[in-house]
Amino acid sequence: MSKDWNTRTKLVHEGTRRSQYGEMAEAMFLTQGFVYPSAEAAAARFETLGEDEFIYARYGNPTTRMFEDRMAAIEGTEDAFACASGMAAIHGALAALVKGGDHIVAARQMFGSCLKVLEFLQTFGVAVTLVDGVKLEEWRAAMRPNTKVCFFESVSNPGLEVIDIAGVAKIAHEGGAVVLVDNAFASPVFSRAAELGADVIAYSATKHIDGGGRVLGGVVCGTRAFIRGPLETYVKHTGGAMSPFHAWVLLNGLQTLDLRVRAQAVNAAAVASSVAGHNKLARTIYPGLTTHPQHALAIEQMGAGGTMVAFEFNGGREAAFRFLNALEIIKISNNLGDARSIATHPATTTHSSMTPEKRLEVGVTEGLVRISLGIEDGADLIADIKAALEAV
Ligand SMILES: *Cc1c(COP(=O)(O)O)cnc(C)c1O
């Protein structure tokens, strides 16, 4: 397809494969396997797989391939591989990049399951150093001769720290390491990760890419050599493939991704600026606010502040719970990137398996509430939040 197309055109059309029926919508090939015209044809296909050929859905499927091609096109990478979930993508990428005896440098402020995967890798003899991701000098100091990967969330969950992709990439590349970015919070709409030097970019497609909170999915984007080499080999043999049904849902999600995410970011900016300085809040955290410590970087790296806002309540857990319980439009849940606005208390949900000390280290206090803004009317969302703040 055309390399000259802009993102919104690619989101609608890129990667579409039509069968002999010429169907308009992407077909859902809900099949695990494929029928060969002869034993020789089966043998030939197992010997060398052609461009538009498939043998088993754990290895690839036409619907899944459409999703992969569309993702690679919008991310600006040569190829992509679809995985069963965001964690299957992150785990697959890390496992394909390191072996026992290697070293990973990773940002400390990360999604709980990402930190868990790093713990598992340590039991297989991989060394891990956690650093304060916003401090480039810490990345530099942590590099070792056997460092193979620098890994971080470009916008961290849930503290919304923004990490300098180009800055970390320079340090990593000088040390011969690969940069792996978990870009779930930035979303593909605000991603310039490939251009800024990230080598491998992983998404939880469960979040903004679905946008309707329906299915789990993940995707790893990178060079063709990496994606169709070590990454595909690892994921296809260990069982982390995406379901064709989920790929079909996510292809539909991609069509409206840009419209949704931009509307969500407008709502996030409006909410953040209308409640900043409220007397119930110790802090309003939003990369789009000039008070955010990495505001300039966020604008340079993403062109916007993103779809997520975090509040730190003066009154700790009690105030946070009163606020959550008083919300009407905004739902209490733990997904994000949905068309519906969602509020989360990370300390007692997404980050509850960590010890209180570990939580504090990664900025998850008892008074922290994370809000993923949806596409509802902005004035309604602000009114809902202001009323709930009054209830605290
Ligand atoms: C949700 C999330 C994941 C995991 O994605 P799943 O699809 O739930 O497996 C990984 N990283 C970040 C930053 C996330 O928000």
Side-chain angles (χ1 to χ4, degrees):
M1 297 231 175
S2 173
K3 288 264 181 297
D4 299 334
W5 286 350
N6 291 310
T7 301
R8 276 168 67 166
T9 307
K10 290 179 180 169
L11 282 167
V12 175
H13 291 291
E14 185 76 50
T16 301
R17 290 167 182 237
R18 291 196 164 87
S19 77
Q20 72 272 29
Y21 299 113
E23 64 281 356
M24 171 61 82
E26 295 85 351
M28 178 164 47
F29 289 94
L30 207 52
T31 181
Q32 51 69 32
F34 301 85
V35 177
Y36 315 100
S38 66
E40 288 78 9
R45 211 179 286 185
F46 271 79
E47 168 116 19
T48 15
L49 200 60
E51 196 24 52
D52 204 25
E53 292 179 346
F54 301 90
I55 51 177
Y56 193 55
R58 178 151 49 74
Y59 290 27
N61 168 287
T63 309
T64 310
R65 188 59 55 83
M66 290 191 235
F67 173 70
E68 292 171 343
D69 288 350
R70 195 169 294 174
M71 274 305 308
I74 62 167
E75 196 59 35
T77 55
E78 287 173 5
D79 217 330
F81 196 86
C83 302
S85 66
M87 289 322 303
I90 299 287
H91 170 243
L94 283 167
L97 287 168
V98 297
K99 57 180 179 351
D102 289 342
H103 176 237
I104 298 171
V105 186
R108 188 172 294 136
Q109 228 191 70
M110 258 196 291
F111 182 58
S113 299
C114 292
L115 293 169
K116 270 277 179 257
V117 170
L118 293 175
E119 281 177 28
F120 295 143
L121 289 172
Q122 289 177 78
T123 69
F124 291 93
V126 176
V128 175
T129 306
L130 295 178
V131 298
D132 180 342
V134 299
K135 294 189 178 141
L136 289 178
E137 64 277 15
E138 289 203 14
W139 289 96
R140 199 181 305 280
M143 295 295 290
R144 299 183 194 163
N146 60 338
T147 305
K148 292 289 155 60
V149 183
C150 290
F151 169 41
F152 58 94
E153 292 168 4
S154 59
V155 179
S156 72
N157 179 5
L160 308 181
E161 284 186 340
V162 182
I163 296 184
D164 182 351
I165 298 173
V168 177
K170 186 163 180 289
I171 294 165
H173 294 158
E174 279 167 10
V178 159
V179 175
L180 167 62
V181 173
D182 176 339
N183 227 8
F185 273 43
S187 92
V189 173
F190 299 130
S191 173
R192 289 175 55 222
E195 190 188 326
L196 293 170
D199 303 287
V200 183
I201 304 149
Y203 285 99
S204 166
T206 316
K207 314 291 168 58
H208 297 90
I209 294 174
D210 180 329
R214 296 163 294 192
V215 301
L216 286 172
V219 63
V220 184
C221 305
T223 62
R224 181 147 300 131
F226 175 67
I227 296 294
R228 294 297 154 197
L231 189 275
E232 179 183 300
T233 305
Y234 185 84
V235 179
K236 78 184 185 188
H237 291 298
T238 54
M242 176 182 281
S243 145
F245 172 67
H246 289 194
W248 180 81
V249 171
L250 295 166
L251 279 162
N252 285 277
L254 283 177
Q255 291 189 333
T256 57
L257 180 76
D258 191 88
L259 298 174
R260 284 185 284 106
V261 169
R262 287 188 195 281
Q264 288 172 256
V266 167
N267 280 343
V271 163
S273 59
S274 68
V275 300
H278 193 284
N279 61 11
K280 305 280 170 59
L281 299 175
R283 280 194 305 157
T284 302
I285 309 168
Y286 182 60
L289 289 178
T290 53
T291 50
H292 189 282
Q294 294 95 40
H295 171 68
L297 173 66
I299 298 305
E300 190 191 322
Q301 196 159 284
M302 300 197 288
T307 64
M308 308 288 298
V309 177
F311 295 158
E312 170 95 54
F313 281 88
N314 287 317
R317 182 192 292 201
E318 198 189 327
F321 275 25
R322 274 178 199 268
F323 170 77
L324 288 168
N325 292 336
L327 291 167
E328 282 186 9
I329 301 170
I330 302 173
K331 303 297 173 234
I332 303 170
S333 189
N334 40 282
N335 190 25
L336 62 98
D338 196 300
R340 308 163 189 89
S341 294
I342 291 170
T344 312
H345 185 247
T348 52
T349 61
T350 53
H351 290 66
S352 61
S353 67
M354 292 173 130
T355 63
E357 300 74 47
K358 269 256 154 56
R359 274 201 293 275
L360 282 186
E361 254 179 57
V362 302
V364 180
T365 61
E366 291 289 322
L368 191 77
V369 170
R370 182 191 85 183
I371 304 182
S372 168
L373 279 307
I375 61 170
E376 302 95 332
D377 183 84
D380 287 345
L381 293 174
I382 291 169
D384 196 27
I385 288 172
K386 286 196 166 161
L389 284 170
E390 288 316 309
V392 172

